[in-house]
Amino acid sequence: MITVDEALAEVLGRVTLLPIETVDLEDARRRVLRQVIQADRDFPPFHRAAMDGFAVRAADVSLANTSLTLVGEIRAGVWPDRSLGEGQAIRIMTGAPVPEGADAVVQVERTKSSGGSVLVEVTAAAGQNIVRQGAEALAGAELLPPGVRIGASHLAVLASVGAIHPSVSARPRVTVLVTGDEVIPPGWHPTAAQIRNANGPALIALIEEAGGIATEAAVVSDDPTQTQAAIQAALESGCDVVVLSGGVSAGDFDFVEGALSDLGVTLHVTSVRVKPGAPFVFGTRGRTLIFGLPGNPVSAQVTFELFVRPALLKMQAASFIARPLIEATLDGTLVNRSGRRNYLPVFAVRKAGRLVAQPIATQGSGDVVAHALANALAILEPEQTQARSGDVLTLHPLSSFLEA
């Protein structure tokens, strides 16, 4: 067995970058940016009113309750047709250009207007409620670097500079194979000895969350010929990654490792000192990455999170490929007698200004319900056999934590 860190290094060291492609702006969400995005003009491109009110000269309202002559109105999207003179005010809307001569905006709630005049009830300082031209970014400034995973806020930046066809990484094409005589489709009624296919839907969702395009083949029986044929078809499909679940242990009906070797796959990892998920296999054939995950659903999801997800993100040239680890105070007890690094389900919640991790009772690597209730995994190192209430632990956050 090798450590988690050693296994991850083996995986990431064999990742090849995917090519660059151009997409429409509406299709760019969750894609990884492969170009520098620069400001095409100053942001804002003019001195902008930060709120509804009146554009004034600060010198004219150095005293409260000053009456000014109202000489016009400026709406957002309309360029001022006049400058502001001494003793004058112009009604202005949020986002509108500040007229020449004005150096402050007084919010409308602090004024009273009547006829052709406005009473300013407060004093104003130069620059008040005005966003200066170029204060957010100057023309030519870098707004977004390559490697950003495009989200809603990034889409807003792209749209603001007119980058409607951004350059992004191609999406990894991933084939999912689920092995096991006992596995049936989710819509079927199982016999006493059968289980529904939980790994297929879960792995496809995890792949798509990491930016990949997933294709699930039929469930593969525990037969050496069928196993090899299914893997061969996947390798010849042109996909970038093959993800298998099940058939990677040392049992009499575990044929994945042998089939991979027979098909010319070079195996770099065959087991990892981790719980859950010790029987983890990683290999390559050419540029194609092959991952053999355990059949137990929690083991499959945890090893995907630790090894496959970072590989998919690195293939796309993402700047951040690992979850940001966090610390939390344990509210309960956790036990680790595995002699391996253990990832245990917890629910992390903020209480009284600190993050608290509450253990979730689990029956092990087949307990999909406990894993579904967790929003993070508490990490116990091999030498740490127990953690008690009040201990500060390192957590590996899951998507449910980061998206809450």
Side-chain angles (χ1 to χ4, degrees):
M1 285 188 176
I2 62 175
T3 67
V4 171
D5 297 334
E6 290 168 338
L8 182 59
E10 287 282 354
V11 171
L12 296 182
R14 290 174 170 82
V15 168
T16 303
L17 286 183
L18 292 171
I20 297 172
E21 61 186 28
T22 300
V23 297
D24 294 335
L25 182 63
E26 56 267 27
D27 297 323
R29 180 174 174 267
R30 279 192 172 172
R31 304 295 291 270
V32 176
L33 188 65
R34 292 288 289 272
Q35 67 176 109
V36 174
I37 299 297
Q38 295 176 303
D40 62 336
R41 57 177 180 167
D42 290 344
F43 281 84
F46 45 77
H47 302 325
R48 182 181 68 204
M51 59 181 58
D52 291 347
F54 292 88
V56 300
R57 295 175 355 126
D60 289 340
V61 287
S62 58
L63 299 175
N65 296 312
T66 299
S67 182
L68 301 175
T69 302
L70 189 58
V71 295
E73 179 181 88
I74 307 171
R75 291 186 285 179
V78 177
W79 194 256
D81 59 1
R82 62 175 299 159
S83 59
L84 190 70
E86 183 178 353
Q88 296 178 334
I90 294 179
R91 181 82 166 93
I92 194 167
M93 309 305 170
T94 302
V98 177
E100 185 179 349
D103 61 1
V105 172
V106 178
Q107 63 192 95
V108 67
E109 293 85 355
R110 301 300 182 91
T111 65
K112 292 180 181 177
S113 55
S114 176
S117 65
V118 57
L119 180 69
V120 180
E121 299 174 331
V122 294
T123 61
Q128 177 177 310
N129 299 324
I130 293 175
V131 182
R132 304 289 296 178
Q133 178 177 341
E136 297 166 355
L138 296 173
E142 180 178 312
L143 304 182
L144 295 176
V148 165
R149 235 183 138 203
I150 299 170
S153 58
H154 307 112
L155 288 172
V157 174
L158 294 171
S160 295
V161 301
I164 60 172
H165 300 295
S167 296
V168 298
S169 284
R171 297 178 66 187
R173 298 160 299 166
V174 186
T175 298
V176 177
L177 298 175
V178 178
T179 71
D181 288 337
E182 75 282 14
V183 181
I184 62 171
W188 289 19
H189 184 73
T191 65
Q194 292 177 323
I195 59 171
R196 294 186 177 98
N197 179 10
N199 284 347
L203 291 173
I204 286 177
L206 290 169
I207 289 163
E208 292 177 348
E209 181 190 279
I213 302 172
T215 301
E216 183 183 15
V219 173
V220 182
S221 298
D222 288 325
D223 174 84
T225 302
Q226 291 189 37
T227 300
Q228 183 166 325
I231 297 173
Q232 182 172 357
L235 291 170
E236 293 175 355
S237 69
C239 66
D240 304 297
V241 179
V242 177
V243 175
L244 301 106
S245 71
V248 293
S249 296
D252 292 341
F253 297 97
D254 294 319
F255 303 114
V256 166
E257 193 171 330
L260 292 175
S261 296
D262 291 343
L263 290 168
V265 174
T266 302
L267 298 178
H268 308 289
V269 180
T270 56
S271 89
V272 182
R273 198 174 296 124
V274 64
K275 182 179 176 63
F280 166 81
V281 171
F282 167 68
T284 55
R285 194 174 84 167
R287 296 163 60 96
T288 306
L289 307 182
I290 301 97
F291 295 91
L293 312 183
N296 277 326
V298 176
S299 297
Q301 292 179 56
V302 170
T303 50
F304 183 98
E305 177 74 21
L306 296 179
F307 306 115
V308 186
R309 183 180 184 275
L312 295 179
L313 291 173
K314 186 174 181 181
M315 293 175 78
Q316 300 167 80
S319 297
F320 301 100
I321 62 175
R323 302 277 197 198
L325 299 182
I326 55 178
E327 288 190 339
T329 302
L330 185 62
D331 181 15
T333 301
L334 293 173
V335 176
N336 176 26
R337 298 191 179 96
S338 66
R340 295 171 271 164
R341 181 184 289 179
N342 203 342
Y343 291 81
L344 295 159
V346 296
F347 188 81
V349 63
R350 194 161 292 280
K351 292 183 178 180
R354 63 176 184 169
L355 196 63
V356 176
Q358 299 169 334
I360 295 175
T362 177
Q363 299 305 309
S365 57
D367 193 344
V368 292
V369 176
H371 190 73
L373 294 175
N375 65 358
L377 302 171
I379 304 173
L380 270 63
E381 295 296 341
E383 65 279 3
Q384 190 174 8
T385 58
Q386 188 178 59
R388 296 179 175 85
S389 189
D391 289 350
V392 176
L393 296 181
T394 299
L395 305 186
H396 182 112
L398 300 173
S399 296
S400 52
F401 176 86
L402 298 171
E403 294 175 0

